[in-house]
Amino acid sequence: MVLSLRKEFRVKNFGFQDVHIGRFCTFQWRLPGSIFLIYRIVIAIYVIVWLSLTANDSSGGFLGSLSWGAFLTNWTYILLTLYFTYYAVLTIIVYLARWRSPRNLFRRQQSSEHWQLFSEMSANGYEEVPSDGEVSAVTTYTRSPVPWYYAIVWILLNAASVGAIMVSLVFWAILVPGSNLGQMTNSNIQLHLINSVLILIEHAVIAIPIRLLHVIYPLIYGVIYVFFSVFYWVDDHSHVMYEILNWNNPGPTIGFVILIGFVIIPIIHILIYCLYRLKMNIFHRYC
């Protein structure tokens, strides 16, 4: 375990290498690829529908001079939708491209074939590609970075995961207590609760690894939003989306930004990593 943690802090782990490409094409658990494809399509349709409904919610009159697109909640649900939609489209393309392959992706893999996807399972930390070359394109392993289109999936996953959970925590722990929100709308439930439920389900089933140093990607996302909030406020000092991000009171706001960036985001990412390690231990023990 200690050795595994030490490996996590290698500089190369900021990047996207040392992983089987097949881990982006299937579940962690050995299920038919057709179910993975259906899952990706269904969840993408779900978030697209709810994004459309919340964006056009007529109850949004309380926004006043603020734009719907100015809120971190909505930014994050857009990011979540982008992740699920992009991943679904990419999965459809990859699956159809291998439709006629002898080892197409729709089938259920053999147990030994499925285990080849997980470098963590081998004694030396990495699986070797068989010398006869008779290996499925899904299970091909390389130390080179994964293709750019899967790197995008990985980046979006990290940013959307931490972003969604952070939005839920801040909303329920900080914004809701003492506020006068009245009856919770379906949109509020979707944007501040179901968003995190979807992410937790995603992490329970996907095979994409979580790396500690990938915390940099949700941090970049957070920095982008902070700069946006500053420029949005400079244009009109009444543009205050959240009291905790009120640049009319820069002292407390800067303190809160530092708290989020150096404490909350890293803690959330570490918890997601711990869930990943727990999943891998369960997989190793029972699968």
Side-chain angles (χ1 to χ4, degrees):
M1 182 63 181
V2 175
L3 181 60
S4 177
L5 282 175
R6 287 179 60 186
K7 288 181 178 179
E8 281 294 322
F9 292 98
R10 293 175 176 175
V11 174
K12 68 176 183 178
N13 282 334
F14 282 111
F16 312 98
Q17 59 221 47
D18 293 347
V19 61
H20 285 272
I21 296 175
R23 291 177 71 162
F24 293 85
C25 305
T26 189
F27 287 122
Q28 175 78 36
W29 318 104
R30 194 168 63 91
L31 296 170
S34 55
I35 296 179
F36 180 76
L37 179 62
I38 292 170
Y39 166 77
R40 298 255 64 97
I41 294 172
V42 169
I43 201 167
I45 292 173
Y46 180 88
V47 293
I48 290 171
V49 168
W50 272 107
L51 179 63
S52 301
L53 291 174
T54 54
N56 294 286
D57 193 343
S58 59
S59 65
F62 73 92
L63 295 178
S65 64
L66 298 174
S67 167
W68 177 89
F71 289 84
L72 179 62
T73 294
N74 300 327
W75 270 49
T76 303
Y77 205 83
I78 290 171
L79 181 65
L80 189 74
T81 304
L82 178 61
Y83 164 70
F84 281 122
T85 304
Y86 174 77
Y87 201 178
V89 171
L90 182 58
T91 301
I92 292 170
I93 292 172
V94 172
Y95 269 56
L96 292 180
R98 304 186 191 281
W99 174 270
R100 299 184 182 278
S101 169
R103 294 173 178 260
N104 70 71
L105 304 182
F106 291 90
R107 64 189 177 86
R108 188 186 188 201
Q109 295 175 335
Q110 297 296 322
S111 180
S112 59
E113 185 182 10
H114 189 69
W115 264 63
Q116 286 183 353
L117 301 177
F118 302 97
S119 60
E120 295 92 333
M121 301 296 99
S122 65
N124 63 359
Y126 300 101
E127 293 286 351
E128 298 295 332
V129 177
S131 58
D132 59 7
E134 294 297 324
V135 61
S136 166
V138 175
T139 60
T140 300
Y141 174 64
T142 176
R143 288 180 181 270
S144 302
V146 299
W148 61 269
Y149 42 86
Y150 281 135
I152 292 175
V153 170
W154 214 344
I155 291 171
L156 291 175
L157 171 65
N158 283 283
S161 297
V162 175
I165 294 173
M166 182 181 67
V167 163
S168 296
L169 288 176
V170 170
F171 181 78
W172 295 105
I174 299 178
L175 299 181
V176 170
S179 66
N180 185 25
L181 292 175
Q183 184 178 3
M184 282 290 171
T185 64
N186 287 332
S187 293
N188 260 330
I189 298 298
Q190 289 295 326
L191 295 174
H192 302 104
L193 179 61
I194 303 301
N195 62 334
S196 292
V197 172
L198 292 175
I199 282 298
L200 291 176
I201 292 173
E202 181 76 353
H203 281 283
V205 299
I206 60 173
I208 301 173
I210 298 300
R211 291 179 173 165
L212 287 176
L213 293 184
H214 281 186
V215 69
I216 189 68
Y217 302 111
L219 282 172
I220 290 172
Y221 170 61
V223 168
I224 291 172
Y225 184 77
V226 167
F227 275 104
F228 164 79
S229 71
V230 171
F231 290 123
Y232 194 60
W233 170 80
V234 167
D235 179 62
D236 185 337
H237 285 12
S238 68
H239 286 173
V240 177
M241 286 75 72
Y242 309 98
E243 277 304 315
I244 55 178
L245 199 60
N246 183 353
W247 293 105
N248 293 303
N249 301 310
T253 297
I254 291 172
F256 178 76
V257 168
I258 292 173
L259 175 66
I260 289 290
F262 289 93
V263 180
I264 304 300
I265 288 178
I267 287 176
I268 293 173
H269 190 74
I270 289 170
L271 290 175
I272 292 173
Y273 175 78
C274 290
L275 288 175
Y276 166 70
R277 297 308 311 177
L278 174 63
K279 179 177 66 176
M280 292 303 300
N281 286 336
I282 293 172
F283 178 80
H284 182 264
R285 185 178 295 254
Y286 299 106
C287 296

